[in-house]
């Protein structure tokens, strides 16, 4: 089963006026025409199968005591328990953007090589950890950095439709 992780930028006040269900509907569920339009405008980002690996690269082994390390992938809070969307307010978006901007993303992935390799095996990826998988994680982190930079510059909130970090992913 392919697990995807999506981020969507929204003007900050929108997150206060929408119900959790409405917010969930604003974030793509699949890579489709709607997603393509939002992504082309810089308003959405999606990754396939790398969210858990991205999170580990940013946070594993206590290398980053900064709480902002947890924000980019699985950060924010649930507007209502049991909903699948997470909301990051503009101040959290700015903190995540600063953290990503100030991090050597390729180096973080390299430093976490062993942890990421074990995670790929644990999650049952048919493709073992390799330089090409590492490069995809770094590319996805760079895309995430650029996405958050745009959102922070605009003062936007970010809504995340996340994959469960404990869910089994496949490539």
């Amino acid at each position: 089963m392919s697990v995807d992780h999506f981020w969507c930028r929204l003007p900050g006040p929108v997150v206060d006026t929408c119900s959790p269900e409405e917010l969930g509907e604003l974030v793509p569920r699949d890579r489709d025409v709607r997603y393509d339009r939002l992504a082309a405008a810089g308003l959405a980002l999606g990754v396939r199968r790398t969210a858990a690996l991205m999170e580990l690269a940013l946070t594993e082994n206590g290398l980053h005591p900064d709480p902002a390390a947890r924000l980019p992938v699985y950060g924010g809070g649930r507007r209502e328990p049991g909903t699948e969307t997470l909301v990051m307010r503009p101040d959290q978006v700015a903190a995540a953007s600063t953290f990503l901007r100030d991090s050597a993303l390729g180096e973080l992935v390299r430093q976490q090589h062993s942890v990421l390799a074990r995670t790929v095996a644990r999650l049952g990826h048919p493709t073992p950890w390799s330089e090409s998988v590492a490069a995809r994680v770094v590319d996805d982190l760079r895309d995430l950095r650029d996405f958050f930079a745009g959102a922070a510059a605009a003062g936007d909130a970010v809504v995340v439709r996340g994959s469960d970090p404990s869910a089994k992913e496949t490539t």
Side-chain angles (χ1 to χ4, degrees), residues 2 8-9 14 18 41 55 65 78-79 93 101 120 127 131 133 135 145 157 159 170:
S2 169
C8 186
R9 289 173 44 185
V14 169
C18 287
E55 171 79 358
R78 296 193 192 282
R79 280 275 305 272
V93 171
R101 180 194 68 220
V120 164
T127 305
E131 288 304 315
V133 175
R145 176 194 60 207
V159 179
T170 63

Side-chain angles (χ1 to χ4, degrees), residues 45-67:
L45 176 68
V47 298
R48 287 193 197 264
R49 305 171 190 100
T50 60
L53 302 175
M54 293 166 66
E55 171 79 358
L56 287 172
L58 295 175
T59 63
E60 190 58 29
N61 293 334
L63 292 176
H64 302 289
D66 184 344

Side-chain angles (χ1 to χ4, degrees), residues 68-88:
R70 297 212 176 273
L71 288 173
V73 180
Y74 296 114
R78 296 193 192 282
R79 280 275 305 272
E80 188 170 294
T83 61
E84 62 182 51
T85 54
L86 302 170
V87 176
M88 280 187 272

Side-chain angles (χ1 to χ4, degrees), residues 17-32:
T17 60
C18 287
S19 71
E21 295 79 21
E22 291 169 324
L23 283 175
E25 290 304 313
L26 294 173
V27 182
R29 293 179 191 273
D30 297 301
R31 290 181 184 239
D32 57 14

